[in-house]
Amino acid sequence: WDYVAAAAEKLPVILLLDGLQHLAPADLSAGLDWLIPTPLPRNVHVILTAAKDSIAARMLRADAKELCEVASLEVQDAAQILQDWLAQHERYLLQPQAARIMAGFVVSPSAVWLELAAMAAMNLPSFAPAANVPVVKGVAAMAALIFERMEAVQGPVAGQALSLLAASRYGLGVNELEDLLSLDDTVLATFAKINAPPLMLPRVPPLVVARLRTYLGSLLITRRIGGIE
């Protein structure tokens, strides 16, 4: 918090801590003083969020100076968000295709689910029947569907890359991911089959990781550690 206070001397600082319901009960039993100092440094403001019926939400109701309950995302707003997302990527859905996604949103009313559905729909041809629009219930199932489709297109390198990212503590740099993928004979064999005649490459092609980053888009979080992104 010393760094936060120092930054706030120049400009106001607003911190958003999302999803307090994911904290362990033991962390919440003693309150939130260990997380947020009282009083806050000058020019520092903190916004906390928690699921409605969680222990963290009950604590916020008791201690927060201002409380705002966020309403569910309305269907008409979700439809507009979907249209805007697709327009940003110069894509457009026919009315039956969009209707299928919105029907899925009614079952899984989440902005995250909607974004995943939009990602899956971006690769559809305009003439695809509405029944071909990938829609499954739940955020986890929708994410799994996207990963399965990505692996079907990109090959085993996609699944291996996701496994390495999930296993890493602080993520992986582009060069680190390329190095680790290049140690996998199964991945290298996939690219060897593409060559005519078959030729085992010493490393995965540099564009492989770039394609994965493009495909996953906002599902990846970029951070800087030790000057490395």
Side-chain angles (χ1 to χ4, degrees):
W1 286 95
D2 292 337
Y3 293 107
V4 175
E9 292 178 359
K10 299 179 180 180
L11 290 171
V13 174
I14 300 176
L15 298 177
L16 173 61
L17 303 180
D18 188 25
L20 293 187
Q21 72 274 8
H22 296 299
L23 291 175
D27 294 329
L28 294 171
S29 61
L32 296 175
D33 291 340
W34 61 271
L35 180 63
I36 303 168
T38 304
L40 286 170
R42 182 173 175 272
N43 283 339
V44 175
H45 308 274
V46 178
I47 300 173
L48 308 174
T49 75
K52 184 176 180 180
D53 298 323
S54 64
I55 296 175
R58 291 198 292 271
M59 294 179 62
L60 292 180
R61 291 191 187 97
D63 300 334
K65 292 184 178 180
E66 296 185 24
L67 196 64
C68 176
E69 184 171 329
V70 179
S72 301
L73 185 61
E74 298 292 339
V75 174
Q76 58 268 27
D77 294 331
Q80 184 61 53
I81 291 173
L82 175 63
Q83 187 178 28
D84 291 344
W85 273 339
L86 293 172
Q88 290 174 9
H89 295 83
E90 298 182 350
R91 300 290 296 172
Y92 179 78
L93 293 179
L94 299 178
Q95 195 280 329
Q97 296 171 332
R100 177 170 168 81
I101 291 181
M102 296 316 302
F105 173 79
V106 172
V107 178
S108 304
S110 162
V112 177
W113 185 94
L114 186 66
E115 183 174 8
L116 292 172
M119 286 182 61
M122 276 187 228
N123 297 316
L124 283 177
S126 59
F127 53 82
N132 289 0
V133 176
V135 172
V136 292
K137 181 180 179 180
V139 171
M142 199 69 199
L145 177 63
I146 287 179
F147 295 151
E148 289 171 4
R149 291 164 64 92
M150 182 180 71
E151 191 166 12
V153 174
Q154 311 262 8
V157 64
Q160 184 66 357
L162 291 174
S163 298
L164 290 169
L165 288 171
S168 63
R169 184 174 183 181
Y170 297 113
L172 294 169
V174 173
N175 292 336
E176 293 173 327
L177 186 55
E178 288 180 2
D179 290 342
L180 291 172
L181 289 174
S182 298
L183 296 174
D184 191 317
D185 291 338
T186 303
V187 171
L188 292 178
T190 302
F191 295 104
K193 295 176 182 177
I194 300 175
N195 297 310
L199 174 65
M200 182 66 81
L201 301 175
R203 289 180 58 83
V204 296
L207 287 178
V208 169
V209 175
R211 287 179 60 192
L212 291 173
R213 293 182 67 183
T214 300
Y215 192 98
L216 292 172
S218 60
L219 297 182
L220 292 176
I221 298 175
T222 302
R223 66 177 71 181
R224 293 185 66 86
I225 297 179
I228 300 175
E229 184 174 289

